[in-house]
Amino acid sequence: MSVVALVPAAGRGERLGYGMPKALVPVNGVPLLTRAVQGLFASGHVQHVVIAAPPSDVDSVHTATASLAPAGGAVHVLSGGAERTDSVRLALEHALSVIPDTAIVLVHDAARAFTPPQVIAGVVTAVRDGHDAVIPVLPVADTIKQVDEAGVVVATPDRAGLRVVQTPQGFRAETLRAAYRAGVAATDDAGLVEKNGVLVHTVPGHAHAMKITTPFDLAVAEALFSGGHE
């Protein structure tokens, strides 16, 4: 039974200011998407990666990633949608139609290009152990304030029970398909299945799974992962 990673990578990445899709922005000369796909395969658990690319960049994404798959694996590239959820839905439909033995599905952000392979392996193992949905998380280090529309603090949640969510998020294939068919809305895929009545399990994340969204994030990644310290 196959483990398939879905990578929604159709975002334009305006906040990075690079003039190209965020997934293709290089860190020390290597595109984020390339690094993300390499990490997925390096986990030793992923057989297929399905990338939802910007429609205008499908060919270039295919060229950049086709050779990354190990023996017996494959990279599939298709046109993504207008929104992230559209891209995930398209990639999921492709996986379930083209890779019929898909049993576990990961949804991974290309912007989290430096997620350690052991985190990916931990998510897959937890799904294999019987959890329907699994996410990597980190404790919240900062104090969090809840504010109203006027910016006035209305509550201070206890951060002991709060977690920062990372990717990849892992699911039994049928669990994620059912959530997308239900037509619910959420800010991430774990939220979709949660709203569909599924319990979401957590595993430890890692600081290197930072999301690269702004020029500052990019500069941090360039410094942190230079000189082979990855």
Side-chain angles (χ1 to χ4, degrees):
M1 304 299 283
S2 292
V3 177
V4 180
L6 315 179
V7 183
R12 300 312 303 180
E14 285 87 355
R15 281 182 287 178
L16 273 178
Y18 236 81
M20 65 173 66
K22 178 166 65 175
L24 300 181
V25 170
V27 175
N28 295 324
V30 181
L32 291 169
L33 179 59
T34 298
R35 292 182 181 275
V37 173
Q38 288 172 331
L40 288 163
F41 285 129
S43 73
H45 289 268
V46 176
Q47 291 80 44
H48 296 265
V49 174
V50 181
I51 301 169
S56 60
D57 295 284
V58 169
D59 290 341
S60 60
V61 168
H62 184 270
T63 299
T65 59
S67 64
L68 301 179
V75 176
H76 312 247
V77 183
L78 50 86
S79 294
E83 303 293 336
R84 183 183 186 279
T85 52
D86 299 324
S87 290
V88 175
R89 181 181 289 106
L90 289 167
L92 178 61
E93 290 173 353
H94 177 89
L96 295 176
S97 63
V98 175
I99 312 164
D101 68 337
T102 298
I104 296 174
V105 175
L106 306 180
V107 183
H108 189 40
D109 292 335
R112 297 187 188 273
F114 297 95
T115 300
Q118 63 265 30
V119 172
I120 300 165
V123 171
V124 174
T125 298
V127 178
R128 282 188 172 142
D129 285 346
H131 298 287
D132 290 330
V134 178
I135 57 175
V137 300
L138 290 177
V140 173
D142 297 323
T143 297
I144 302 298
K145 298 291 186 182
Q146 180 182 347
V147 301
D148 62 17
E149 293 181 357
V152 176
V153 172
V154 296
T156 304
D158 181 1
R159 68 186 182 191
L162 300 177
R163 296 293 183 269
V164 175
V165 180
Q166 300 179 324
T167 71
Q169 299 185 352
F171 310 91
R172 285 195 315 110
E174 285 303 318
T175 297
L176 189 59
R177 176 158 66 175
Y180 270 89
R181 286 180 171 175
V184 295
T187 56
D188 68 349
D189 298 284
L192 289 178
V193 301
E194 183 183 351
K195 287 186 176 181
N196 212 32
V198 175
L199 295 178
V200 180
H201 182 71
T202 65
V203 296
H206 195 283
H208 287 183
M210 58 182 286
K211 188 174 184 179
I212 299 173
T213 303
T214 67
F216 176 81
D217 301 331
L218 191 60
V220 170
E222 290 271 5
L224 186 60
F225 301 108
S226 64
H229 301 295
E230 297 179 19

